Each structure stands twice: as C-alpha cells, then as structure tokens.
Amino acid sequence: MGEIYVYHDLFGYILKMSPDILAFLERFEGDRVLPEEVCRDNANAFGEMTPESFVGIFLQFGCLIIPGYDQLKDLWDYIPVRSRWNVWTRVGGTLTFYAAWGERELAKVALTEAETAIWDRIDGEAKLDDLAADFGKPAVSELVKKLAHNSVQALKLSALPMSFYKHKQHMKPPYLTSTMPYAPYDAKTDTLPPGFEDMFSPEGYYRHDVSDADAQFDHQETTLSHLFRRPHPALRGRTYGETLIDALKRRWASLEVGSGGKVKILEIGGGLGWVARHVTEALEKFGTEVTYHILELSPTLAAKQRENTAGLSVTIFEGDALTADLPGDDYDLVISNEMIGDLTAIKLTHAQLGMGGEEGIDDDAFEAGLDTLGIAGELVKKHTVPIGDAPDPFYLNVGAWQLIERLWGAIKPGGHAILTEFGELGRYPVLSTQLDHPELSIHFGQLTIVARSVGFETDYEFVMDLIDMNREMKGLATTRSYFRALTAALADHDIALDKFGYTKPMFLNLLGDKLRPGKTLGEIEYDNLEDRLMGLVPHEFKALLLTKPLSH
Ligand SMILES: C[S@@+](CC[C@H](N)C(=O)[O-])C[C@H]1O[C@@H](n2cnc3c(N)ncnc32)[C@H](O)[C@@H]1O
C-alpha cells in the first residue's frame, strides 16, 4: 500500500502517515467535531497506540488547531531556514525561485525587491521576529507563506538555530533537509497510489515501449555511460565507450583489436546507441574490422540507435534478450551495460521456502518450496545458488541468471562478456529510488556463482576503476526534481542544460557570463565524482567480467 506524506505549508514539516492515520486526522475536519468523540470511535483502531497519542503529535506538528485559530500567530519565535536543492536566479536585484517537485508543473515564484531583502537576511540564526522588526510582520508572513508552500519548498521553519546543530548534525530534524517530491494526494477524492514496491514490474520495465528516447535518458533513467557520452576530463578526454573498450583490450589480450584484427561484438540493450558508436569508432581507429550487433527490446530505442550509429558497421536487431534468437554466435565480446537490472526478478518469502523457523532451514520444505517456483527454483537448484542468508522477503535476479546461461552459447571459446549494473557482491537486490520506476540492484555474488556454474571464468570490478575514472574531480550534484527546475531556470537565460556529467569547470563554461553561481544563480552543489554525479552514485556501479575458457 502507498505511503502518504503530510506536508505543512507554513512550517515545512513532513510527516509520514499510513492511510488509516490520515483518515483519523481527516475525521477532525469541521467546526463541531468533538475530539473525545473521534478518539472514542477509534479507541481500538491503532493496536498498542491510543488515539490520544496521535492527537498529541498532530497538535505538536500543527496538523490540528482549534477552529478559527490563526497559525500565523505562532511563527515569530521560529527561525527561517533555507532548504536544500533550491533553484533561484537573481536579476536586477530580485530573486526568482524555480521548483518542479516530482511530476508537478514547474512553479516559478518571483520576489519583489522588498521580499528579496527579507530572503537575504535569512541566515538560519535570526528569528522571524527579528526580521519582522525590520520589515514588518505582514511582509514577513507573506514571504513565509509563499516560499514554504509545498509547490516551492524553499523555506522551512526551525525551533532552533542552525548553530545548535553544528557538531550534532544527526540531531537535525529530517524535515529541515528533506524535500517532498511526491504527487499531491487528496484523501477525499483520490484513490490510494500503489506502494513503491508494488510499482515494481517483475517482468521488467522496458516491456512497455519508451515514448521519447532522449527524454528517457535525460529524465527517467540516466546511466553512467549517458553521463560520459561526450569526451570527459575524468576519462582523460574520452567517452565511456572508448574508455571501456580500451580497458577491455588491455585486460583481454585475446581480443584482436589491433590493426588487421577482427572483432565480433554483441551488445544487449543498447540505449541511445552511444556505447555502440564509441566502441566501434575506437576499434576502427585502431584498424580493426568490427561486426557490432545490438539486440534491443524497445522499438523506439532501436530507431534511435540506428540514427546514432549511422555510417558504422553496427546492426540493430529487435527482440527480447531472454526469449528472442540471438542475432549470431561466435562473439568475441558481449557487452551488457546497465541493463540487467531491467530483467525479470522474482520476490520470495521465507515462508515459501521453509526458511527462518526456530530450527533454521527445513530441508524438505526448502526442496519442496523450490519445486513450486518454476524457473527460479530450477536455477537455484541447478547452479546451487546459496540463498540461506536471504532477508525476508527477498528478490532473486533470475532474468540476469538466464541471460548468462544464454550467453554461454553465443560466445566463442576464449571470448568474453562484460555485464555492468548497480549492485554489490554480497547484498540481496534492493529497489532503487533513483529512477522514475523501481528497479532492482544486482546481487553480484549470486550472479558470479551462476556464471561459474555455467562454465565461465569470472572477475568483478568497480566500473569507475575499470574505466579509470578520476575520482578526485568534483561534479554537479542534482536530484530529478532539482534537475528539472535548474533546466528551466537556465533556459530562461538561453542556456541549454542536458543530462551530462558536468564537472565544475564544464558547468561554469556552460553558464558563460550569463549567470554566476552564488551571485546570480543558486544553489549549485558539487560533489566528489565517485559519490554523486548528476543524480547517480558512480561507486554503486559494478562489472562482472566473463571469459569462456578455450577448452570449450
Ligand atoms: C538502462 S538502459 C541502458 C542502455 C545502455 N546500455 C546504456 O548504457 O546507456 C537498458 C537498455 O536495455 C534494453 N532492454 C531492457 N530489457 C531488455 C530485454 N529484455 N531485451 C533486450 N533489451 C532490453 C532497454 O530498452 C535499454 O535500451
């Protein structure tokens, strides 16, 4: 079931509520409601918790007030604090805020000169009362209403000054640094949205085709290779594809990539076609004869790949990597870049498999449970995938395992494959919240076990090490909502921002003399490239490297 966050339009509080608690809160609406009656009606509704304890929380966070009470009266002891991920421009002495939370329309809020002067005084220390002494209560409260509102979320009110938290960041209430990028929800008229986990499609995301190929990678599902699709200083002036093939040729001498060499490559799930383009161009530059096939599920992306690889020896085949005939065999190299997270995964519980009882795993129930699971159970048995340490519930990356089985037949003896995705060696798949749709990470330990059982020799690396990314550099940090707002702010100044791995100098270069961070554009954050680049966390991406031994 979906979770609901209640946002306070004046204080900026964010309260997570289950639907039944929200329904309880809604019961207080109206002038003649008696709290005792509402509590009595709900006396046993919340298990151990009494309804009165929730009323206390509602009062504390200003969700309940006495009818007719003016909450503006309570403001003056509070300290206004600037939120994180604000986007503003300052032109001719006045500020304009841009916000685009979640899928909501862009909100553009222009301040007057007087309002801008109030904003400039906000330092996380002065109380609203102090500001009111200089600017008057009506002007200050109007500004709070404007900027704390859920459509903007540029301002929060804190009971304590920020200096109090200087060496105690962990004590800061989360609402002061969080934002709420979710769709609006009206309990009276809207049906409850599905929970994040329920939105996860075990059949894989790309089965409904993509409508706009470029927007897909700029807004919905950015990949590391997309951020490095143009030459990048962190890759010594090269693209992701160029660096990748360079690393693979140094690792695997058997790839005949020198002058006069011949290489046959299959890419599974080619995105916009940039990896294919840059790998092929780099190989052809060495004088290598390249045959490059892409197997792609989405017709829209396949069309884009044809466009972006035009003139190169790249052929695109449409089909599902788990069911379609593979376009060829005897491949020297298979590349699957950031796509196995899109393949089928299966969710299981301990109860289904007789696990987690007092005496540990019940072997008979476990075996019997596996037999009811179809392909997932078959593969666990066949490859002896250890799942005794699984949390409850847990996911298995069954689609990725099937892909590895299929690759065995497509790769020539002595040939190789690289599969990259976000995930960990020992962590069960977790749903990522970075993308617009829930996607699972990969349990690389289990994937490795399957690959070895199939017959491959395996290796495991951080992608950023494989491509020798310069980790010391700083890059522009964004969230999805912030990126949309920043794009709109820059567009108003004739600057086109796209989803690319901007380093600080690159971003300053993009701005030219039109805007200056901190002066006429805010708030711009840079982070270490390995920790955050645009919305991605590069150190989360790993590569499984496979070699099919020559003896096969
Ligand atoms: C996240 S994108 C990665 C694209 C590209 N490799 C990159 O690095 O930017 C996943 C790609 O895999 C494709 N894909 C997803 N499921 C697939 C399947 N079952 N068979 C073939 N392609 C698939 C998608 O359409 C998309 O092109």
Side-chain angles (χ1 to χ4, degrees), residues 206 221 223 225 269 271 296-297 301 320-321 337-339 342-343:
Y206 279 84
E221 191 173 25
T223 57
S225 71
E296 172 56 53
L297 182 66
L301 291 179
D320 183 338
N337 201 68
E338 294 170 60
M339 74 76 63
D342 288 319
L343 296 177

Side-chain angles (χ1 to χ4, degrees), residues 203-207 209-210 217 221-226 240 267-275 295-298 301-302 305 319-323 335-340 342-344 420-421 439:
E203 279 83 41
Y205 171 64
Y206 279 84
R207 261 151 238 277
D209 193 20
V210 170
F217 284 85
E221 191 173 25
T222 304
T223 57
L224 210 50
S225 71
H226 189 67
Y240 183 92
E267 183 178 353
I268 312 269
L272 297 177
W274 298 122
V275 172
L295 179 59
E296 172 56 53
L297 182 66
S298 150
L301 291 179
Q305 289 158 17
D320 183 338
L322 294 187
T323 52
I335 299 174
S336 153
N337 201 68
E338 294 170 60
M339 74 76 63
I340 51 175
D342 288 319
L343 296 177
T344 319
T420 77
E421 192 49 279
E439 186 176 302

Side-chain angles (χ1 to χ4, degrees), residues 135-418:
F135 301 102
K137 282 192 173 178
V140 172
S141 57
E142 274 315 298
L143 186 68
V144 172
K145 281 198 272 182
K146 226 181 208 181
L147 295 185
H149 190 267
N150 70 79
S151 60
V152 187
Q153 301 183 43
L155 190 72
K156 311 266 177 172
L157 299 188
S158 169
L160 293 169
M162 290 305 99
S163 52
F164 173 82
Y165 299 109
K166 189 144 187 246
H167 298 294
K168 330 177 195 51
Q169 287 297 330
H170 59 285
M171 289 176 75
K172 222 183 221 179
Y175 80 91
L176 288 177
T177 44
S178 312
T179 48
M180 206 198 41
Y182 306 113
Y185 168 72
D186 183 335
K188 292 192 205 70
T189 51
D190 296 341
T191 50
L192 199 62
F196 186 64
E197 197 173 293
D198 300 332
M199 283 154 56
F200 171 68
S201 142
E203 279 83 41
Y205 171 64
Y206 279 84
R207 261 151 238 277
H208 350 273
D209 193 20
V210 170
S211 52
D212 177 337
D214 288 306
Q216 177 71 19
F217 284 85
D218 260 13
H219 292 287
Q220 265 82 315
E221 191 173 25
T222 304
T223 57
L224 210 50
S225 71
H226 189 67
L227 295 184
F228 292 129
R229 69 193 177 284
R230 299 197 290 266
H232 199 282
L235 303 182
R236 296 192 188 79
R238 293 174 302 168
T239 61
Y240 183 92
E242 265 180 288
T243 324
L244 183 72
I245 196 64
D246 190 37
L248 297 183
K249 102 180 160 30
R250 274 187 279 118
R251 171 179 291 259
W252 290 320
S254 63
L255 283 178
E256 290 180 33
V257 292
S259 163
K262 271 189 180 179
V263 181
K264 187 173 170 188
I265 300 177
L266 169 65
E267 183 178 353
I268 312 269
L272 297 177
W274 298 122
V275 172
R277 178 180 187 95
H278 298 137
V279 166
T280 309
E281 280 176 346
L283 288 173
E284 287 182 349
K285 211 163 66 191
F286 303 134
T288 314
E289 192 185 318
V290 187
T291 305
Y292 199 111
H293 294 161
I294 300 180
L295 179 59
E296 172 56 53
L297 182 66
S298 150
T300 309
L301 291 179
K304 199 72 192 177
Q305 289 158 17
R306 288 190 187 100
E307 195 182 309
N308 286 338
T309 59
L312 294 167
S313 50
V314 177
T315 316
I316 289 100
F317 299 83
E318 290 179 34
D320 183 338
L322 294 187
T323 52
D325 285 340
L326 298 182
D329 53 14
D330 270 347
Y331 288 103
D332 297 290
L333 176 64
V334 174
I335 299 174
S336 153
N337 201 68
E338 294 170 60
M339 74 76 63
I340 51 175
D342 288 319
L343 296 177
T344 319
I346 175 163
K347 185 179 180 184
L348 297 172
T349 61
H350 281 188
Q352 274 175 285
L353 289 165
M355 296 162 70
E358 299 268 293
E359 285 89 42
I361 297 179
D362 172 339
D363 288 339
D364 293 337
F366 184 73
E367 286 288 317
L370 285 181
D371 289 338
T372 64
L373 298 182
I375 185 72
E378 266 173 46
L379 294 180
V380 168
K381 274 189 178 176
K382 181 157 108 189
H383 300 300
T384 334
V385 182
I387 55 173
D389 60 346
D392 191 24
F394 63 104
Y395 289 95
L396 297 176
N397 303 117
V398 176
W401 301 353
Q402 287 174 286
L403 181 65
I404 291 212
E405 286 194 325
R406 300 201 86 203
L407 294 187
W408 179 258
I411 296 173
K412 75 174 196 193
H416 309 277
I418 173 167

